[in-house]
Amino acid sequence: MRALIDSDHVPADDRFDCFRDMFLAEPAPAEVFRDKPADFSGMIASADFGMVTLVTLSSRTAVSGGARRTPKLIRRSDPDGYRLVFNRHNTGALTHNGNNATLSPGDLTLIDTSLPFEWRIPGGDYWHAVRIQRELLPLPHHTVRTIIGARLCGKTGIGALLTTLVTKAAQDIDHYRPTDAIRVSTTLLDLLGGLLVHELEADTALPPGSHQRVLFRRIQVFIQQRLGDPALTPETIAAAHCISVRTLHRLFQSHDDTVAGWIRTQRLDRCRQELTNPLLDEQTVQTIAARWGFTAAAHFTRAFRAAYGLSPQEYRRHDDASPAGHASNRPL
């Protein structure tokens, strides 16, 4: 995992401030506090892992403190997601979604980034967290919300399987290929869905077609993460999700689209955005097209004109000549 910050590499007087700034720069910013900031020592590391992001935090200081996410911070940035937190050391107290949960080592909980929380610990802290896009869970949000902030057991049953999976994934993350990470993260999400259903005793909460909906969304995320790969094909996509190519095509047909068509639309949109980015004015159209998986210049030009009514060069010049520079009168 990539270390975002390790306080041991920062001057002693700046350690806590750097740690606090890192939390405030997160997609779902939170405010960190400690009773004795001058004595602080800790580390945060994270890595994208297939469909999710894994985060590890270690606080090596036996000083009480915690973190809080306030309504002001929520207004500042809210990714509309979940954070699955695995408490690995010490006992923490979480106030979230009307719940006051005491989390012992081995417990876990689900946090909703759209709701305030406060997490307090009496000393050193160590936990793993998984950042999850809300739509990747098979359970509807109104059902999941009833268990947000509650204590979930990670020592037995599905919770123990989930804890073992996340712990090993965080430890061995450098040994996973991208397709491996997709498969393992898919299993992680399925286990989380199973744990929530078990805790809620809500097997009927899974709406019809929810698994197909979640599978389709996971495939979309997989494709978006690999748009620049010219070797991205229905065969590689289907293999990464352990389904047949025929099933993949049927899944897109049920959404009135095709696999190739959806990939092409996403790639063209990325190119369109970069053609209007003034920071990329020095890059040629061919460079931008190749970055997003178009290997043949003529094919790219035809596809772009069909989508936007202008050639890539004309589109770029048109945007430059618009009265508001790069912000108005763009053909869509």
Side-chain angles (χ1 to χ4, degrees):
M1 300 181 78
R2 180 173 64 89
L4 299 178
I5 184 172
D6 188 334
S7 65
D8 288 351
H9 301 153
V10 178
D13 292 343
D14 298 330
R15 288 176 179 174
F16 182 71
D17 287 342
C18 289
F19 206 76
R20 181 182 59 195
D21 290 346
M22 182 59 64
F23 263 82
L24 289 173
E26 285 285 287
E31 198 176 88
V32 179
F33 55 89
R34 285 289 187 274
D35 290 345
K36 296 179 181 179
D39 298 329
F40 180 79
S41 175
M43 179 275 295
I44 308 175
S46 74
D48 291 333
F49 186 71
M51 315 297 293
V52 303
T53 300
L54 301 182
V55 181
T56 294
L57 178 142
S58 173
S59 172
R60 300 181 285 263
T61 307
V63 176
S64 61
R68 63 173 68 93
R69 181 157 161 79
T70 63
K72 180 178 180 180
L73 290 174
I74 292 171
R75 290 193 297 272
R76 170 175 153 184
S77 176
D78 182 15
D80 290 325
Y82 298 124
R83 301 291 184 267
L84 180 63
V85 179
F86 297 78
N87 189 38
R88 308 296 291 153
H89 175 72
N90 221 322
T91 298
L94 176 67
T95 302
H96 186 46
N97 190 37
N99 291 314
N100 294 298
T102 299
L103 303 180
S104 301
D107 290 336
L108 53 146
T109 191
L110 192 65
I111 289 176
D112 183 343
T113 65
S114 299
L115 300 175
F117 73 80
E118 181 164 299
W119 167 259
R120 287 186 170 272
I121 53 167
D125 203 6
Y126 175 47
W127 46 255
H128 298 302
V130 184
R131 295 181 193 153
I132 303 167
Q133 295 181 29
R134 188 171 289 170
E135 62 267 30
L136 293 182
L137 283 184
L139 287 166
H141 179 61
H142 67 84
T143 300
V144 173
R145 186 162 182 167
T146 62
I147 205 170
I148 293 293
R151 171 188 169 275
L152 305 174
C153 181
K155 301 174 184 176
T156 59
I158 299 176
L161 287 174
L162 188 56
T163 297
T164 299
L165 177 62
V166 170
T167 301
K168 289 295 293 179
Q171 291 173 348
D172 302 335
I173 197 163
D174 292 335
H175 299 287
Y176 291 95
R177 293 177 297 191
T179 51
D180 296 331
I182 286 289
R183 294 187 181 100
V184 176
S185 62
T186 297
T187 301
L188 186 159
L189 292 167
D190 289 341
L191 283 174
L192 174 57
L195 175 64
L196 296 179
V197 167
H198 171 78
E199 293 285 344
L200 292 163
E201 297 181 353
D203 296 87
T204 57
L206 291 173
S210 64
H211 290 296
Q212 291 297 305
R213 175 182 58 80
V214 173
L215 175 61
F216 184 67
R217 178 55 184 152
R218 291 175 183 175
I219 290 172
Q220 287 181 311
V221 172
F222 177 87
I223 292 172
Q224 288 171 333
Q225 292 173 339
R226 291 157 180 81
L227 285 174
D229 182 2
L232 183 67
T233 64
E235 288 75 18
T236 59
I237 297 167
H241 293 84
C242 301
I243 60 175
S244 68
V245 174
R246 177 177 293 182
T247 297
L248 177 67
H249 285 305
R250 287 177 177 171
L251 192 59
F252 274 82
Q253 287 169 4
S254 70
H255 290 80
D256 298 321
D257 211 335
T258 65
V259 182
W262 199 83
I263 293 173
R264 182 174 58 253
T265 298
Q266 297 300 306
R267 284 173 167 167
L268 287 170
D269 187 60
R270 298 302 192 282
C271 292
R272 181 186 66 82
Q273 293 177 35
E274 293 199 352
L275 286 170
T276 60
N277 185 343
L279 298 178
L280 301 177
D281 282 347
E282 299 302 317
Q283 295 190 11
T284 67
V285 169
Q286 289 76 14
T287 298
I288 291 173
R291 179 160 52 246
W292 294 108
F294 290 102
T295 57
H299 169 70
F300 169 64
T301 298
R302 286 195 300 271
F304 194 94
R305 185 185 292 277
Y308 302 113
L310 297 172
S311 71
Q313 293 86 350
E314 292 168 339
Y315 188 93
R316 178 178 257 179
R317 288 197 299 269
H318 183 278
D319 185 78
D320 288 340
S322 67
H326 292 273
S328 64
N329 296 329
R330 294 175 186 164
L332 299 176

